[in-house]
Amino acid sequence: MSAPYAGSAPGPDAVGAGSPPDASDAPARALLARLRELRGRVSTLVERRAVGDPTADDPLRGLYLSEEAVRHLLVTWPETAEGHDGSGSGTGAGRAVGEEHAPGPADRLARLAGRAGLTALDVAVVLIALAPDVDRAFEPLYGYLNDDVSRRRATVGLALDLCGVPVQSAAARARLHASAPLAALGLLEVEEPERPFLTRSLRVPDRLVAHLLGDDTPDAALLDLLRPMPDPLPCDTATEQFSHQLAALLESGPATVYLREQREGDGLAAYAAALRAAGLDGLCCAVPGEHVTELLREARLSGRAVVVPALPERPGPLVRALAAAPDVTVLLADPRPYDPRWCPEDPLVLDAPGRRDGGTAAWRAALGADADGFDLAATVTPYRLGGDRLGRAAQAARALAAFDGGPVTAAHVRRAARHQSASGLESHTRRIRPAVDWGDLVLPDGPLGQLRELALRARHRNRVLGDWRLSAGGGRGRGVLGLFAGESGTGKTLSAEVVAADLGLDLYVVQLSSVVDKYVGETEKNLERIFTEADRTDAVLLFDEADAVFGKRSEVKGAHDRYANMESSYLLQRLESFDGIALLTTNLRGNIDGAFTRRLDLVVDFPFPDAGQRLALWRHGLAHVPSADGIDAAALARDFELAGGSIRSAVVTAAYLAAGRGGEVTADDLLEGARREYRKAGRLVPGEGGW
């Protein structure tokens, strides 16, 4: 059985042999220097065990590992006892392995011991435990010393013997307890709990061994969770001051900070700027779940701060686990307010600063020269992207421009920004990607001017209400609220789509069927989900047929009236704190509670179109339709009093009639379409009976 162990493995000094020393090998060389000292201690212990061993001449001893085989290994081990005379001098009892070693700047084990507060005994135990993972020659020797050739890792008893510490020492045994630094910090695993304590195997995690050898590849368990830290982008004066204050805190030593963010990404952006100002690196990790130990160990090994940009639904266990590491800086961010029940020791709780005025300077820095071909400020003002999303949007805009084969335009930036502002609103709303513009609206100057003012308010609300301090206070938000009132078909929904298109935002139409619930309190919960998500999303929210939700409160005559009034009261309070853009439409303005009207920024009345506007609507509808000559749209506008939606339906009907026969739209087709709209409305048709 001795043969398999007799061959000498390449010695640790073979690292880099035959080539000039490389700086990248420095950590490995520092670790191997420590192992050379450990070899001397192992040699001494083997000599001591061999003296007086009653089984030394037993032929069965070879089934495990013969003394001759062990001596052969010691002789053939390269530089086994460099600086060691075999007498045990320099490795006497009471001195930990490696105490003789003077750590150099590349000695990562010494640096780790300093950061983690490890004792000399801790360092020695780690070195003893990892030796077989670095040099195979330690395996058979450990097997011999364990009196079991199959147990080729260090055991608790062997480690204490090699350190010259009595195995009965309570203080020494306590260093291997689960709550002691080695195990608690994930630096050492004491395996086989079913065995007696002294015969339990010691294992150093592969990630620690790799780190000590100079490998900085993150732990495999974290690869799918780690995210790159975003590059800090230019910000306003208040945000910059906040970043410098936070940087000063981080420079002073390990800290735990919780940033409550208004919008997703604001906290990560603030942390990125603060870490850059403090000259530190961050280890950004999605919710680590069961890998907290690996995450904290990685932070200790690399000397980086742990950054968690979003917490799980139940954050208590995660916050407690991270806060229990006083030697690691932990930076947390989440939209929820901090709950003291999450952790017995509270972190520093702050509000994350948000971007204002669209972050034009940040966009310009992200786009570089690509921002020179269009009005950047007007394009990006509606967007409030935080964290790395702004930089990703800039990259996406360049990719879209390259796909189109031209320079970056405002359309590319808007499209990329909308993709980065992905929303969770779809569960209760229907998304519309606007494909219209101001040219598609046929309205009098009054309503048209109010719509343009609505878009203007949406663009500059942060400047007026924030920078110029014109907010009413009382926790009121910076939302923009508008009511569109008018008969069916007068252009209310189309106008909402045009406003969204002008702002470069998606339009989300609230599905009232998925919001209103017969159970008490459920409607409010559904609305809260919508408002909360809309606050965090760059989008326009449309409550079509808003009477069902924003209707007048009534006198309480029964339980139904009471709960209906509670819904209205909730909406009144929620609109006060709303930060997004919401539009309401109604066919009858009088159905909307007056308390809602007071909270609206604009009320736009959509009149029924007169003959001139109807003519413009007919011509607009026929603009892209192949039509026969001689169509008198003026007669249609004069004879048929139809709203814009009905005129469009009439044109669609005429287009289908023409397509069915493979020809152009004629005056008769349009006349038939107009008549059908009259019949659908239950009105008498001109030229037919009764007219």
Side-chain angles (χ1 to χ4, degrees), residues 373-415:
F374 55 95
D375 187 349
L376 180 65
T379 301
V380 303
T381 296
Y383 305 112
R384 297 173 291 168
L385 298 179
D388 63 338
R389 293 196 175 187
L390 192 150
R392 292 169 62 181
Q395 294 178 1
R398 292 193 186 96
L400 291 171
F403 180 78
D404 291 338
V408 175
T409 65
H412 293 135
V413 173
R414 287 177 172 176
R415 183 176 174 186

Side-chain angles (χ1 to χ4, degrees), residues 159-505:
L160 295 178
D161 283 344
L162 287 172
C163 292
V165 177
V167 295
Q168 299 85 7
S169 171
R173 294 165 73 105
R175 302 306 296 178
L176 299 174
H177 192 270
S179 61
L182 287 179
L185 302 182
L187 305 179
L188 183 73
E189 299 172 10
V190 181
E191 300 179 322
E192 304 170 302
E194 72 282 357
R195 298 183 68 95
F197 183 70
L198 294 179
T199 59
R200 294 176 187 175
S201 297
L202 302 178
R203 180 189 297 272
V204 173
D206 292 343
R207 175 67 191 103
L208 176 55
V209 176
H211 170 76
L212 295 177
L213 289 172
D215 184 359
D216 292 322
T217 305
D219 195 300
L222 301 174
L223 289 180
D224 292 336
L225 302 176
L226 296 181
R227 303 289 184 267
M229 287 292 292
D231 294 328
L233 295 171
C235 54
D236 54 74
T237 304
T239 304
E240 186 175 2
Q241 180 181 357
F242 178 87
S243 298
H244 285 299
Q245 288 179 297
L246 187 56
L249 171 68
L250 301 181
E251 289 175 343
S252 64
T256 303
V257 182
Y258 181 91
L259 287 187
R260 184 187 181 187
E261 52 189 7
Q262 184 65 26
R263 292 173 60 83
E264 183 180 355
D266 287 345
L268 184 59
Y271 285 142
L275 289 170
R276 174 69 63 87
L280 302 174
D281 292 328
L283 192 65
C284 184
C285 183
V287 180
E290 59 186 14
H291 300 297
V292 175
T293 299
E294 290 86 347
L295 178 62
L296 290 173
R297 181 176 64 210
E298 191 66 38
R300 291 186 178 97
L301 296 181
S302 60
R304 289 185 283 180
V306 170
V307 181
V308 181
L311 298 181
E313 183 178 354
R314 300 182 63 183
L318 175 61
V319 175
R320 286 192 293 272
L322 293 175
D327 60 318
V328 177
T329 292
V330 177
L331 307 176
L332 309 171
D334 200 76
R336 289 169 289 184
Y338 176 78
D339 189 339
R341 292 174 295 181
W342 292 348
C343 185
E345 297 184 5
D346 296 336
L348 175 63
V349 181
L350 302 169
D351 289 326
R355 295 193 180 278
R356 298 182 181 178
D357 297 328
T360 306
W363 277 98
R364 186 170 298 280
L367 288 169
D370 292 323
D372 297 336
F374 55 95
D375 187 349
L376 180 65
T379 301
V380 303
T381 296
Y383 305 112
R384 297 173 291 168
L385 298 179
D388 63 338
R389 293 196 175 187
L390 192 150
R392 292 169 62 181
Q395 294 178 1
R398 292 193 186 96
L400 291 171
F403 180 78
D404 291 338
V408 175
T409 65
H412 293 135
V413 173
R414 287 177 172 176
R415 183 176 174 186
R418 286 201 302 267
H419 289 165
Q420 292 301 320
S421 187
S423 172
L425 287 167
E426 285 83 355
S427 59
H428 292 297
T429 63
R430 174 172 54 91
R431 184 174 67 173
I432 297 176
R433 293 210 166 162
V436 294
D437 55 31
W438 293 106
D440 293 302
L441 286 181
V442 179
L443 291 172
D445 291 340
L448 191 61
Q450 287 182 293
L451 292 175
R452 292 188 181 276
E453 181 186 344
L454 190 64
L456 184 71
R457 285 175 176 256
R459 281 193 174 90
H460 301 293
R461 51 188 164 143
N462 285 329
R463 177 182 299 177
V464 173
L465 300 179
D467 296 344
W468 295 352
R469 303 178 63 84
L470 289 179
S471 176
R476 288 177 173 82
R478 299 178 184 177
V480 176
L481 308 174
L483 173 65
F484 297 170
E487 294 184 30
S488 178
T490 52
K492 301 184 296 297
T493 304
L494 177 63
S495 296
E497 188 174 349
V498 169
V499 170
D502 184 65
L503 295 172
L505 305 177

Side-chain angles (χ1 to χ4, degrees), residues 97-146:
V97 176
E99 258 188 48
E100 312 89 339
H101 178 78
D107 192 336
R108 292 191 169 189
L109 185 54
R111 283 191 293 169
L112 175 62
R115 286 198 299 264
L118 303 182
T119 65
L121 179 61
D122 294 334
V123 174
V125 170
V126 169
L127 190 67
I128 293 167
L130 65 80
D133 295 305
V134 179
D135 188 347
R136 288 180 296 174
F138 279 98
E139 294 186 56
L141 296 174
Y142 280 4
Y144 176 81
L145 294 174
N146 286 325

